[in-house]
């Protein structure tokens, strides 16, 4: 896992075998965290312009950096998602927002395809 290309600061969304983490991070703290990859299944590190994604699969690992410049697309569709704090069931005034940026292309029959996506911080 190459964490040198991740955004300097942003939001961490990590899925582990036994837990889920959703919190703010800084690159310096992550580089020092020895337990980051222990039992890790999927990791998303994102800010408002790009996302670093690491996913373990049965056939290997997927590691990619996604931004508007790195994904070929003809259009973008964004969706806002309300995020809840730890052990909360309903949003409150402190709840955050995350945007899902969907990268869209069209085929020869003008059928829309979502080729990729990225998570985006909303400030």
């Amino acid at each position: 896992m190459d964490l040198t290309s991740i955004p300097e600061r942003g939001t961490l969304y990590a899925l582990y075998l036994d837990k889920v983490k959703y919190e703010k991070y800084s690159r310096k703290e992550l580089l020092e965290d020895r337990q980051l990859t222990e039992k890790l299944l999927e990791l998303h590190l994102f800010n408002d312009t790009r996302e670093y994604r690491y996913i373990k699969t049965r056939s290997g690992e997927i590691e990619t950096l996604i931004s508007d410049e790195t994904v070929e697309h003809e259009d973008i569709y964004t969706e806002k998602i309300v995020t809840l704090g730890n052990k909360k069931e309903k949003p409150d005034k402190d709840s955050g927002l995350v945007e899902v940026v969907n990268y869209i292309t069209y085929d020869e029959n003008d059928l829309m395809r979502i080729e990729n996506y990225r998570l985006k911080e909303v400030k």
Side-chain angles (χ1 to χ4, degrees), residues 102-119:
N102 295 290
Y103 294 106
I104 297 171
T105 60
Y106 299 92
D107 69 10
E108 64 277 354
N109 297 317
D110 285 335
L111 292 176
M112 181 183 84
R113 289 176 39 130
I114 297 175
E115 293 293 329
N116 208 338
Y117 74 95
R118 75 174 167 89
L119 301 177

Side-chain angles (χ1 to χ4, degrees), residues 51-83:
E51 175 190 349
Y52 167 83
R53 190 180 303 155
Y54 173 83
I55 302 169
K56 283 187 184 175
T57 67
R58 290 182 180 165
S59 60
E61 300 170 346
I62 300 169
E63 189 173 11
T64 186
L65 186 64
I66 301 165
S67 70
D68 293 352
E69 293 80 31
T70 61
V71 177
E72 286 189 36
H73 62 283
E74 296 172 46
D75 205 356
I76 290 177
Y77 169 74
T78 60
E79 248 182 302
K80 286 190 179 171
I81 308 289
V82 176
T83 59

